[in-house]
Amino acid sequence: MSKTLHSDEVVSNVFLFMIAGYETTSTALAYCTYILATKLDIQDKLIKEIHEIKWNNYNNEDIYDIATNLRSLDLFVREVLRMYPITSKGQIRKCNQTTNISGYIIEKDSIIQPDIFSIHYNPNLWGPEDPNLFIPERHEIKRHPIAWMPFGVGPRHCIGMKFALMELKMCLIQLLRQYRILPGDNIEQGFKRQEKIVIQPDAIYVKFEKHSI
């Protein structure tokens, strides 16, 4: 086996890094802005939490630690990713040997793909509140370890999960420190999702209003 990379391998991996590292995060951020613009009470709660921080006492290197400890922001991001998972294809696996799981025989070379939407909207996993409602506080309750899987689960889960979550939080912190996000014209009409490489809306129409403080 050659120890050098062929140009096709380099190109394909760079493409994968771009899709996995940027397209997914930008799509998740788009969903976040949609929720913030359409649920102003939730946005006000996040703004209040962020504005309670005495930013003059910190430098840019401290934002990581701050973002880690913003509880409402963490619950918000997790609920966004529950209701709007970025991809369903990332969880596809190939069975490398015939196995029996709870009485079900899975043949070697079978392709397995969990139905992430059925899992994320299962009332038995996410009740007693209606899973179709956006309720960040539902994540304060301990759930089944595989009830939330926007990044996959197990040893093959997304290696960039922690980085992606922190990237989202730090971006939202900087955004909400300066602006209030309001719904733009035709926001619902633009919010039509389709799955290509990722599951993304056609467009998110929002307006930004500078804070007066």
Side-chain angles (χ1 to χ4, degrees):
M1 179 180 294
S2 174
K3 293 185 178 180
T4 60
L5 288 173
H6 189 273
S7 60
D8 289 344
E9 294 175 309
V10 174
V11 170
S12 62
N13 276 281
V14 169
F15 177 74
L16 178 61
F17 292 157
M18 293 294 292
I19 294 298
Y22 292 95
E23 186 69 17
T24 53
T25 303
S26 64
T27 300
L29 185 60
Y31 285 128
C32 288
T33 57
Y34 169 79
I35 291 295
L36 291 170
T38 56
K39 300 186 182 301
L40 296 179
D41 57 329
I42 292 177
Q43 181 179 170
D44 289 341
K45 183 176 181 179
L46 295 183
I47 290 175
K48 182 177 183 294
E49 181 181 56
I50 291 169
H51 281 180
E52 287 176 349
I53 303 296
K54 304 300 182 183
W55 294 101
N56 292 335
N57 298 332
Y58 300 97
N59 55 45
N60 290 333
E61 295 178 356
D62 297 317
I63 295 180
Y64 177 91
D65 293 329
I66 294 171
T68 302
N69 293 303
L70 291 178
R71 182 63 174 166
S72 294
L73 181 62
D74 181 65
L75 298 177
F76 169 79
V77 169
R78 290 179 178 277
E79 182 70 343
V80 169
L81 294 175
R82 179 191 71 83
M83 293 194 69
Y84 305 108
I86 308 304
T87 177
S88 62
K89 298 177 180 178
Q91 286 81 18
I92 294 176
R93 297 292 182 266
K94 183 177 181 180
C95 184
N96 57 21
Q97 65 179 25
T98 300
T99 186
N100 183 324
I101 298 180
S102 299
Y104 292 92
I105 302 298
I106 301 176
E107 300 292 342
K108 181 181 178 181
D109 295 330
S110 296
I111 301 299
I112 304 165
Q113 179 178 354
D115 184 351
I116 189 170
F117 283 95
S118 292
I119 294 171
H120 281 196
Y121 284 82
N122 188 323
N124 295 323
L125 295 173
W126 291 103
E129 299 86 358
D130 185 350
N132 294 290
L133 300 177
F134 189 90
I135 305 175
E137 290 75 21
R138 73 171 80 243
H139 292 270
E140 293 179 329
I141 300 173
K142 186 176 181 179
R143 310 284 176 171
H144 189 283
I146 306 182
W148 189 78
M149 52 184 303
F151 297 95
V153 293
R156 295 290 300 279
H157 78 282
C158 175
I159 193 172
M161 180 179 73
K162 290 184 178 180
F163 175 77
L165 289 172
M166 186 54 59
E167 189 177 21
L168 270 175
K169 292 176 183 178
M170 293 176 73
C171 183
L172 289 170
I173 287 171
Q174 297 291 13
L175 192 62
L176 294 176
R177 280 182 64 190
Q178 302 179 62
Y179 300 97
R180 197 160 187 260
I181 303 172
L182 303 174
D185 298 333
N186 302 318
I187 186 171
E188 295 299 340
Q189 290 87 331
F191 192 71
K192 294 180 180 179
R193 290 175 290 165
Q194 55 182 323
E195 183 171 12
K196 295 180 179 178
I197 297 176
V198 297
I199 306 169
Q200 59 188 181
D202 289 340
I204 301 292
Y205 298 108
V206 296
K207 300 174 183 178
F208 292 90
E209 181 181 80
K210 186 78 173 179
H211 289 311
S212 59
I213 57 174

